[in-house]
Amino acid sequence: VLYCLLFLFFLHLTLMATDCIQPSVIRHVRSWSNIPFITVPLSRTHGKSFAHRSELKHAKRIVVKLGSAVVTRGDECGLALGRLASIVEQVSVLQNQGREMMLVTSGAVAFGKQRLRHEILLSQSVRQALHSGQNQLKEMAIPVLEARACAAAGQSGLMALYEAMFTQYSICAAQILVTNLDFHDEQKRRNLNGTLHELLRMNIVPIVNTNDAVVPPAEPNSDLQGVNVISVKDNDSLAARLAVEMKTDLLIVLSDVEGLFDSPPGSDDAKLIDIFYPGDQQSVTFGTKSRVGMGGMEAKVKAALWALQGGTSVVIANGTHPKVSGHVITDIVEGKKVGTFFSEVKPAGPTVEQQGEMARSGGRMLATLEPEQRAEIIHHLADLLTDQRDEILLANKKDLEEAEGRLAAPLLKRLSLSTSKLNSLAIGLRQIAASSQDSVGRVLRRTRIAKNLELEQVTVPIGVLLVIFESRPDCLPQVAALAIASGNGLLLKGGKEAAHSNRILHLLTQEALSIHGVKEAVQLVNTREEVEDLCRLDKMIDLIIPRGSSQLVRDIQKAAKGIPVMGHSEGICHMYVDSEASVDKVTRLVRDSKCEYPAACNALETLLIHRDLLRTPLFDQIIDMLRVEQVKIHAGPKFASYLTFSPSEVKSLRTEYGDLELCIEVVDNVQDAIDHIHKYGSSHTDVIVTEDENTAEFFLQHVDSACVFWNASTRFSDGYRFGLGAEVGISTSRIHARGPVGLEGLLTTKWLLRGKDHVVSDFSEHGSLKYLHENLPIPQRNTN
């Protein structure tokens, strides 16, 4: 009975280990197939590696190297089936895009070890049962398993597993076992090359592994000792050799760390290296090897540099961490900032990570300046905008010429600078300089906690701001001035359509900062960083402020991981025309709100009209004015029901047109208008037009939007018009800043406690001190 039970138990374990893939895992694989299918031009002449990550999407032939730590489970005995399934899915997606994918995999030793351990345990248990005559098994000692024997036992099962997984995506895989000798023998080398090319031609994924069953034994080391540790032959050099031999565009090396760090991962000051260049080895301190396998990070770097020299781009990334490795392979090919990218082309300027560090240190120095010094910098920048007017307009002319025919008319208007715009900018900057006198370090609250123990709450900068803006170069000096006034470091990412204008405006900003030695506090990101990559710099950026289209804002809010985003995703602004509205005011307010600048986020998008105004002279005047201004009208459902021949019925009442288009809807009363705004609005700016003060106050108090106006154009929702000097954007969220965000919105607070040897135990029930919590007067600062 004991023999039978043991036999069935270990047989069950063996079948679980060697079965290709369980049906539940297959279903799991299918459920992961949510990577978008994309089509990209893949023709490329091999011979030179890619210079930048964004070019990786053009890679046609790709080698993916799976390290031992990626393939094996955490207990180092057996395979990580879920992880492998995700990798196979990603490789299959890329293969089905028309790319030529090859795998270099470890794992045969791990799989074989699992099977052999079960065989040994089963054999030992049977012998003990037959000879001991005892019902209870003694503790069984398992001998050290020889790696080559494990490889021989596990290779077939590993390949069967890959075949079963690839079959789920209608892809055929083929196994190739090699040794280093196969690359040194010319005939074998030609045979290997021909086989691989033929497989790729037939759309088959070659799966390459070192023939660990026949390779020379590894040199004795600690990795070979013990039962639960696997030692396999280094596949890094194999992957690099294969990549160069096959003229591969990209080699992806997956390991158990995020990439290459400047010091061993886990150490206090370790920083992930985004881009690694030949010759940078001196700046890296290598640690110990991987927990499994023969190749450590130093071996990977040497192999990567060898492949790079041969014309193949390389990325080393994490293939084990679920949050990092979910779509790591496809993310790399899409050019996202994942792992360490090896490049031979070193940029002339600093990396964005270095710019973030400079903005951080420069911002801290800026915050320590006297208020008068920060104001002096802003005044100097305002003077430069007018003094260097000709140079600025010349640069802007270049942008306009390059954008002609590529940008729509509203965007061209945003891109354009003029003398009047520069003069208005200078006036706004001087307003910011005046308000900066009482910003950083302002005491908000003073409390006497106890005798000789006083607490202060004071304003401080948020830290480093990332402001992303489209088209509008006038945004750059405005935002820079607000950052300077509030003592924040600043990273600016402008649209490439305004590259010439942004460049000269940033140079003038740095010139102004230089008068007090804080030139590096404001950085313009000129590298080819994608916005999504910038949003991942959570250790360098404290707040992201997008300024641009609603799509840009939504994309940034989605991409930001761990960094707060301040902004509005849409500007669906309403105007409610009450039954008591003045005929003289309505058309004037509607025209200004809709037609003065229809592309602005504070432009009118939906006009709500009281039911009693239909078929009145006031209503006819509104319609006639809109026709004269060539505004296309969309009818809301209720409005359409009143008309025999109506304009096209609106597809959605939640539409931001950003052009000469307007939705008109009918409401029964002011409460109906408020309900409509809350249901379909975006909490940006909403207006009531009425002569009834009680109705107006009811609207002002009950509409829950960032800006609510009475008898005024929606276009007043602006930092400059509010007297803030400028704005970094308009916030519709319910955080510390809402509406046009000026200087105050870029500050936070900290608490300062000054005591004399105070300890909490003195305030206990039997202590000698009692809490006073007395409010103290706040000192007034001289802001003259």
Side-chain angles (χ1 to χ4, degrees), residues 1 18 23 64 84 110 140 174 225 237 298 302 304 352 371 399 437 452 458 468 483 523 566 602 610 613 617 632 740:
V1 173
T18 57
V64 178
L84 279 179
M140 295 177 288
Q225 307 303 315
S237 58
E298 188 170 8
K302 289 179 179 178
V352 69
D399 287 327
Q437 298 286 331
N452 294 324
V458 300
I468 302 169
Q523 297 287 324
M566 183 166 65
N602 56 14
H610 194 286
L613 295 178
K632 182 179 179 180

Side-chain angles (χ1 to χ4, degrees), residues 320-381:
T320 62
H321 198 294
K323 291 184 178 180
V324 178
S325 61
H327 291 156
V328 61
I329 299 173
T330 50
D331 283 350
I332 289 170
V333 176
E334 289 172 13
K336 295 180 181 179
K337 185 172 283 191
V338 178
T340 300
F341 173 67
F342 286 71
S343 175
E344 290 187 300
V345 181
K346 201 163 190 174
T351 65
V352 69
E353 289 81 8
Q354 291 170 331
Q355 287 186 296
E357 292 291 344
M358 289 189 286
R360 174 78 68 189
S361 59
R364 285 172 176 162
M365 292 176 61
L366 186 64
T368 62
L369 296 178
E370 294 296 325
E372 295 78 10
Q373 293 175 307
R374 288 192 294 272
E376 186 180 356
I377 292 172
I378 300 170
H379 275 296
H380 188 47
L381 177 56

Side-chain angles (χ1 to χ4, degrees), residues 53 72 86 116 227 248 276 297 336-337 485 534 579 607 612:
R53 285 182 184 270
T72 60
S86 176
L116 293 181
V227 175
T248 301
F276 189 82
M297 185 55 70
K336 295 180 181 179
K337 185 172 283 191
L534 293 173
S579 59
L607 182 65
D612 295 346

Side-chain angles (χ1 to χ4, degrees), residues 266-303:
S267 57
D268 292 338
D269 299 323
K271 293 180 181 178
L272 179 66
I273 299 174
D274 173 42
I275 306 178
F276 189 82
Y277 305 98
D280 284 357
Q281 295 93 317
Q282 294 80 6
S283 62
V284 177
T285 302
F286 292 102
T288 57
K289 298 184 303 175
S290 166
R291 63 176 174 83
V292 291
M294 293 291 292
M297 185 55 70
E298 188 170 8
K300 289 175 176 56
V301 172
K302 289 179 179 178

